[in-house]
Amino acid sequence: MRFPKSLFGCCAAVAIGSVLLLAQNAQPKKSLDVPYVPTTPEAVDAMLKLAEVKNTDVVYDLGCGDGRIVIAAAKTYGAHGVGIDIDPQRIAEANANAKRAGVEKIVRFEENDLFKADFKEATVVTLFLLSSVNQRLKPKLLAELKPGTRVVSNTFDMGSDWKPEKEFTVPNTDDDTFLSHHLYLWTVPGR
Ligand SMILES: C[S@@+](CC[C@H](N)C(=O)[O-])C[C@H]1O[C@@H](n2cnc3c(N)ncnc32)[C@H](O)[C@@H]1O
């Protein structure tokens, strides 16, 4: 018996819709350290350029939201990527977005607390958190990431004792807040 294409499409849409609905009702296991605000598309491009992402990179976005940074790294540069977010709704959106973008084989999304996650394999780490959260995360970044790993942060620096090696101001951003305008780059030093 042949399965009509329209019926198949309908079932797939219902399945994706149900997963997103279930995720909407699921709550994060602890309160968010940073609220969800997505990076603008212009800043996503600029962050990946600032980190000089290549197809040999493994890009981790800590607090990945809807997955846009790792999905763009995979789509534009062929990089592998992992997104970590504590909010199950964001993880469900990120998985659906990766499928839509056709990169689900080279990216994955993990529901986890970024302070507990294992991100040692990263060669590039992207952040859009807060200065206070970056500073709490800094000891883990410096202890666990391989020397040479590039770290890029949207808007927020790491405090005065880890100065960025490059900064970049995003031109023509359509975000009229102070967010997604200024980017920072660090490289993890040798131990
Ligand atoms: C400002 S948004 C950035 C989203 C995405 N990185 C982007 O640039 O579009 C911060 C994200 O961090 C997540 N988050 C907050 N606290 C977290 C924690 N302790 N562990 C993992 N993710 C967290 C939030 O759910 C939210 O999606």
Side-chain angles (χ1 to χ4, degrees), residues 30 38 45 50 53 61 69 74 77 86 98 102 115 136 143 146-147 150 152 169 171 175 178 190:
K30 71 165 225 197
D45 290 349
L50 189 59
V53 170
D61 187 19
I69 296 180
Y77 299 101
I86 201 159
F115 288 102
R136 270 167 59 211
K146 295 183 282 288
R150 292 94 80 204
V152 177
T169 301
D175 191 307
F178 71 102

Side-chain angles (χ1 to χ4, degrees), residues 25 37 42 55 59 65 77 79 83 86 105 115 125-126 147 160 168:
N25 294 328
V37 179
E42 297 87 349
N55 63 1
V59 178
Y77 299 101
I86 201 159
K105 292 217 167 78
F115 288 102
V125 170
T126 59
S160 55
F168 183 76

Side-chain angles (χ1 to χ4, degrees), residues 30 32-39 61 63-65 68-69 85-87 90 112-114 128:
K30 71 165 225 197
L32 303 182
D33 289 289
V34 184
Y36 177 53
V37 179
T39 295
D61 187 19
C64 66
R68 59 184 58 204
I69 296 180
D85 206 289
I86 201 159
D87 188 337
R90 300 281 99 79
N112 202 350
D113 182 350
L114 60 90
F128 184 20

Side-chain angles (χ1 to χ4, degrees), residues 117-135:
D118 177 352
F119 45 72
K120 285 188 208 74
E121 66 158 345
T123 58
V124 173
V125 170
T126 59
L127 307 171
F128 184 20
L129 301 169
L130 289 167
S131 292
S132 57
V133 179
N134 283 356
Q135 285 180 52

